[in-house]
Amino acid sequence: MRRTVSRPLGTLRGSPQLRLRVGFLVIAMVVSVFGARLVQLQAVDPNAYAAMAAAEGTVTLDLPARRGDILDRNGKPLAGSIEGAMVVADPSVTRDYAQELARFLAHRLDVDYFVTLKALRQKDRKFAYIARRVPASQAEAVVAAAEKAGYKGLDTRHDPIRDYPAGDVAANLVGFVGTDEALAGFESNFDDLLAGKDGSERYAVGVGNRIPLGDATIEPPADGHDLQTTIDLDLQWYTQRVLRQTVEDARADSGFAVVMDTKTGEVLALADHPTFDARNPQAAKPKDRVTRAMTDVYEPGSVSKVLTLSALIDAGKATAHTRVTVPRTLPSGDRVIHDWFDHGTLRLTLAGVLAQSSNIGTVLAARNFDSGQLRDYLVKFGLGQKTNVGVAGETQGILPDRSIWTSMTQDRVAFGQSLSVNALQMAAAVNTIANGGVRVSPSLLRGTAVTDDGLVVGSDTTTTQRVVSRNAARQMARMMERVVDPEAGVAPRAQIPGYRVAGKTGTAQRVGPLCGCYNGTFTVSFAGFAPADKPRFTVYVVVQNPRNGGGGGSVAGPAFAKIMSYTLRRYGVPPTGTAPSKLPTTWRPGQVASR
Amino acid sequence: MSSPAFQIRSGRIRAVAPGMQSALRARLTVVPRLRTRTSPLPFVTLVSFVLLAGVIGLLMFNTSMQQAAFTTTTLEQQAKTLSAREQTLRMELDVLRDPQHVALQAQRMGMVIPASPAFLRLTDGKVLGTPAPATREDGVRLLPRPPAKPAVLDPAPNIVKVRAKNGAASAGNGGEGGKNKHQSDGDR
């Protein structure tokens, strides 16, 4: 070591202080580079980097929530979700043999070749929908077969299918769903409630495979709630069949029928015809896919006399025995009121006026009302207001406003013209008489449910209101019994052998859609309840524009009898066995009025 | 590493002989550390064992996890298949339970929905209501009417009145379509 050594090296070796400083300086430089990078990553647009990192190594999948069922009152499904699957592909894998695979899939699944080809060929994508709402077993089979044939990159995921096992039964109420959205009926009106909330799944992937212990988060889907209706599936089916036969045989435009539980106001059946098959809604005209019973307005005609005359009795202006002398015609303002049948001067009791459905007799009796009194009663019966049972697009009907309520208006309203209703409104109004004068608000859903518009509906929100006295309602029920009497009344075909049936026919002139005037066609209807002395059910049948010349008694009456007798048998309601009403319908001068 | 220790030891031996002073000096020498030569083998074995156990354990854990993953997948697949099967069966059941299906079957067997309900009270054997046999007329048409054919495809029946040889006119079963009687037992 005697040779001269270069000095700097020697100095360096000899001074650890300096070495340390230099070392620290180097470390500080490196650390500050890291720091700068950290600032760049965290301070300058950190989200973009986070997203890039996430996209690099993780996969996010939607987990569809199970859609709630729509059930009948006994829990039978009107609409249900069944296990289905979507077939998905990884285009980064399938790109190479997209053509062959697309042909394979087009053969096996109900998919379009070109759409599939495009999906399978997407660039820089790891996920593509191929087919949705395929029955689970079929989807599994197709993917397995594809794998066997050497095509990789296909997979299946949970994707429920909407099924309507009852087909056209209650289809107008239930509605239907399209591929991605609910389109009609309860399905669309309660979509938020039924749909639930989709979840999602994220997991880490490496080289296309899921990393077993990698980062994975699952946000489980919140399944939708079931919606239980008050509809009785079997009764609804029978009602629809009877209604279809009635409408077809009368060569009518359309018809609807309502079956209501008298005490609870629950609607057991709400039938429409024409209707559609919920499994294939595209086959039907759009106007046949709505609930006509709730969206159509029509003039109720003589069924409304039940409301007029019971209000009259309640107001103390008449009784069932009140004597009315009915002339041939009756002038009302600038018009003349006729009866449906030609007659001379008749001597009818109020019961006879109802049994014979005399317009003139009703108007004469109703002229005893104080001004506006009838309108107040009709409002209490629920006319002119929505029933709010959860059907979208319900009409509130037309009750002439107080400002245009003249004596002429009242004359016409008394026998059910110049006012419009929807079928459920009218059924609920007649049910008021069945329920001893207390109106029960109708309901179509059990419990409570909230529509997408925020309206709370359901049987828990039922309200009751006394409209007429118990005595008035009982008298009216006995008067209505005379309507189906073979001798005294006009609708003997609405009678059910062995039972006491109370009812009322209606034949109203229809307002045409073109001219806004009565166009010579008719709305025929029958409303009634049974057993008359202890009512359990109210049934209301309406047929629009029958072309066989029939009226309320001959067209709607037999349909009423069929539906009512089926309902009574189904719910095990035996006849009460009491003597039927024998209220006198006519009177003779000099005869002493008897009770 | 052991060579300096030898030197010290040999130094001590030398120091005893010259005399007291050297002996005293020798007494001040550093006492040699008592070094027991331990074999590194146990430690190495332990470390190797721990390492090996760890690797094998990890491998086994990994394998069992993979196995569990496979089992999970298989069972999930099985559950999925079974649930799909259940759904299919339920769908079939719903079709069989559909009131329309049941009614069509019953009608084929000659059954009719009765028009007048009657009840038999079991306590006293009393019949409530008016029992009446159900007839064909009480039945409800279960299927919609087929659409009316256009006149070209549905010509009016050709009615030929044949006069009997003996001179008595036999009534032809004439066109009922012409006599479309209008009922009017309704009301206005």
Side-chain angles (χ1 to χ4, degrees):
Chain A
M1 293 294 258
R2 284 281 92 92
R3 274 181 288 153
T4 37
V5 189
S6 64
R7 197 164 163 78
L9 188 63
T11 321
L12 274 175
R13 275 202 180 136
S15 59
Q17 285 282 18
L18 190 69
R19 273 194 302 177
L20 248 168
R21 276 185 197 154
V22 171
F24 274 136
L25 196 70
V26 171
I27 290 170
M29 279 163 70
V30 172
V31 166
S32 53
V33 168
F34 286 163
R37 179 70 177 149
L38 192 71
V39 168
Q40 188 199 1
L41 285 178
Q42 285 299 313
V44 184
D45 200 8
N47 294 332
Y49 282 104
M52 271 161 68
E56 190 71 25
T58 59
V59 165
T60 306
L61 281 178
D62 288 339
L63 300 177
R66 183 182 173 281
R67 192 175 173 83
D69 292 348
I70 299 177
L71 307 166
D72 90 330
R73 63 185 297 115
N74 301 314
K76 291 186 194 168
L78 297 170
S81 289
I82 68 159
E83 199 63 44
M86 54 173 109
V87 178
V88 296
D90 182 349
S92 68
V93 179
T94 57
R95 264 179 77 78
D96 303 335
Y97 39 78
Q99 243 175 322
E100 296 93 313
L101 184 55
R103 196 182 308 126
F104 176 88
L105 290 170
H107 276 300
R108 300 249 179 166
L109 294 166
D110 187 21
V111 291
D112 182 71
Y113 171 76
F114 293 101
V115 174
T116 310
L117 185 64
K118 213 172 149 193
L120 292 174
R121 271 185 171 166
Q122 286 176 97
K123 266 184 198 166
D124 305 329
R125 290 286 299 276
K126 288 203 166 278
F127 187 87
Y129 288 113
I130 300 299
R132 297 204 55 185
R133 304 211 160 89
V134 185
S137 41
Q138 189 194 349
E140 302 284 345
V142 167
V143 173
E147 218 138 275
K148 213 173 170 190
Y151 306 124
K152 286 202 173 107
L154 286 182
D155 202 358
T156 60
R157 300 216 194 296
H158 180 69
D159 192 21
I161 306 174
R162 201 67 170 160
D163 183 42
Y164 301 93
D168 70 335
V169 179
N172 301 67
L173 285 173
V174 170
F176 55 95
V177 293
T179 311
D180 276 313
E181 58 191 335
L183 293 175
F186 288 153
E187 293 274 29
S188 112
N189 210 18
F190 293 93
D191 194 31
D192 290 348
L193 187 87
L194 290 164
K197 201 170 168 295
D198 288 354
S200 62
E201 185 183 14
R202 284 166 63 95
Y203 55 80
V205 288
V207 208
N209 291 313
R210 185 173 176 157
I211 299 170
L213 282 179
D215 243 4
T217 53
I218 288 190
E219 195 185 309
D223 288 346
H225 296 275
D226 288 352
L227 191 68
Q228 187 163 31
T229 64
T230 59
I231 296 293
D232 179 342
L233 180 66
D234 288 350
L235 180 61
Q236 172 82 23
W237 167 82
Y238 186 75
T239 308
Q240 282 188 213
R241 292 299 166 267
V242 170
L243 184 68
R244 178 165 72 195
Q245 186 170 357
T246 306
V247 170
E248 280 178 353
D249 289 352
R251 299 196 306 282
D253 284 355
S254 63
F256 20 85
V258 184
V259 180
M260 226 174 131
D261 187 306
T262 295
K263 290 275 172 286
T264 62
E266 290 182 359
V267 178
L268 302 178
L270 188 88
D272 282 286
H273 185 82
T275 181
F276 67 99
D277 186 348
R279 285 173 292 205
N280 184 17
Q282 278 76 27
K285 292 179 206 146
K287 64 173 183 176
D288 290 343
R289 301 197 293 233
V290 299
T291 315
R292 276 206 178 82
M294 306 292 293
T295 57
D296 266 20
V297 283
Y298 62 94
E299 303 197 2
S302 308
V303 173
S304 188
K305 287 173 188 161
V306 169
L307 314 184
T308 307
L309 297 183
S310 58
L312 199 67
I313 296 169
D314 181 63
K317 311 269 185 193
T319 69
H321 298 271
T322 300
R323 295 170 171 186
V324 186
T325 307
V326 182
R328 257 192 89 229
T329 57
L330 180 73
S332 167
D334 54 352
R335 298 192 196 177
V336 176
I337 296 170
H338 297 269
D339 270 336
W340 63 275
F341 59 106
D342 206 23
H343 58 76
T345 301
L346 292 176
R347 294 192 179 94
L348 298 174
T349 62
L350 203 63
V353 166
L354 190 78
Q356 289 296 316
S357 196
S358 165
N359 292 345
I360 297 169
T362 309
V363 171
L364 283 173
R367 282 181 181 173
N368 292 319
F369 272 122
D370 299 341
S371 162
Q373 203 177 9
L374 176 60
R375 191 182 185 280
D376 293 344
Y377 270 109
L378 293 180
V379 168
K380 280 209 261 177
F381 271 116
L383 303 194
Q385 308 139 54
K386 287 186 180 182
T387 57
N388 282 338
V389 288
V391 173
E394 183 190 352
T395 170
Q396 62 174 32
I398 305 159
L399 188 61
D401 193 72
R402 200 173 288 280
S403 58
I404 54 166
W405 189 273
T406 62
S407 62
M408 262 180 73
T409 312
Q410 174 172 312
D411 282 355
R412 289 198 302 274
V413 168
F415 58 90
Q417 302 276 183
S418 290
L419 84 162
S420 296
V421 296
N422 72 47
L424 189 57
Q425 263 179 355
M426 202 60 201
V430 174
N431 189 57
T432 306
I433 305 300
N435 196 30
V438 177
R439 181 182 185 271
V440 189
S441 64
S443 50
L444 260 175
L445 296 163
R446 282 201 141 179
T448 46
V450 184
T451 65
D452 285 7
D453 303 335
L455 187 70
V456 181
V457 299
S459 56
D460 287 358
T461 63
T462 300
T463 56
T464 55
Q465 190 195 6
R466 177 159 292 282
V467 181
V468 296
S469 67
R470 175 168 280 276
N471 177 42
R474 200 171 293 157
Q475 276 196 57
M476 179 46 67
R478 290 179 66 209
M479 285 161 72
M480 286 166 77
E481 270 188 78
R482 304 299 278 157
V483 174
V484 296
D485 190 280
E487 282 120 47
V490 292
R493 292 175 66 192
Q495 183 63 268
I496 302 168
Y499 282 87
R500 288 179 66 182
V501 175
K504 181 70 196 82
T505 57
T507 304
Q509 301 180 68
R510 273 173 99 217
V511 175
L514 295 175
C515 67
C517 60
Y518 293 127
N519 62 0
T521 62
F522 295 96
T523 300
V524 304
S525 55
F526 192 94
F529 48 87
D533 52 336
K534 203 181 165 193
R536 283 291 309 276
F537 304 105
T538 299
V539 173
Y540 184 39
V541 181
V542 182
V543 176
Q544 298 279 19
N545 190 19
R547 294 186 181 80
N548 64 349
S554 64
V555 174
F560 163 87
K562 275 188 170 172
I563 294 168
M564 182 59 96
S565 63
Y566 184 89
T567 313
L568 291 170
R569 195 180 63 248
R570 182 166 167 75
Y571 284 87
V573 182
T576 47
T578 49
S581 156
K582 287 284 171 215
L583 278 176
T585 54
T586 55
W587 59 278
R588 271 172 295 147
Q591 190 187 27
V592 181
S594 63
R595 287 261 146 169
Chain B
M1 198 186 161
S2 47
S3 59
F6 270 111
Q7 276 171 357
I8 290 165
R9 204 179 290 162
S10 58
R12 194 177 139 205
I13 292 158
R14 259 184 279 145
V16 177
M20 205 55 185
Q21 221 146 42
S22 52
L24 271 173
R25 214 185 308 146
R27 226 177 260 166
L28 288 174
T29 54
V30 180
V31 178
R33 278 182 291 168
L34 274 170
R35 290 190 62 96
T36 46
R37 233 189 101 107
T38 52
S39 158
L41 196 67
F43 179 71
V44 169
T45 315
L46 181 73
V47 168
S48 319
F49 178 75
V50 167
L51 207 72
L52 206 69
V55 168
I56 291 175
L58 208 65
L59 209 72
M60 278 170 65
F61 177 64
N62 214 345
T63 313
S64 82
M65 237 183 53
Q66 290 289 350
Q67 211 64 46
F70 286 145
T71 318
T72 312
T73 314
T74 319
L75 289 178
E76 264 174 9
Q77 197 63 39
Q78 203 178 338
K80 228 162 125 185
T81 316
L82 285 176
S83 118
R85 177 98 187 103
E86 191 214 338
Q87 299 282 359
T88 317
L89 288 173
R90 189 167 296 171
M91 215 168 146
E92 281 171 20
L93 194 64
D94 280 339
V95 169
L96 292 175
R97 273 202 300 217
D98 178 23
Q100 175 79 8
H101 179 87
V102 175
L104 281 172
Q105 290 264 0
Q107 204 179 51
R108 217 167 290 143
M109 291 160 74
M111 295 168 90
V112 174
I113 296 171
S116 60
F119 297 85
L120 177 65
R121 197 159 59 198
L122 290 176
T123 48
D124 56 358
K126 204 181 159 196
V127 175
L128 305 172
T130 316
T135 62
R136 212 174 171 72
E137 283 69 51
D138 298 327
V140 171
R141 203 163 58 234
L142 299 177
L143 297 171
R145 262 198 186 159
K149 285 180 190 166
V152 183
L153 295 174
D154 191 18
N158 187 16
I159 299 162
V160 182
K161 283 190 179 173
V162 183
R163 196 166 281 278
K165 283 267 163 65
N166 58 11
S170 72
N173 43 352
E176 210 177 301
K179 293 188 271 177
N180 195 357
K181 210 176 81 185
H182 279 261
Q183 302 168 289
S184 55
D185 50 350
D187 57 290
R188 268 182 209 156

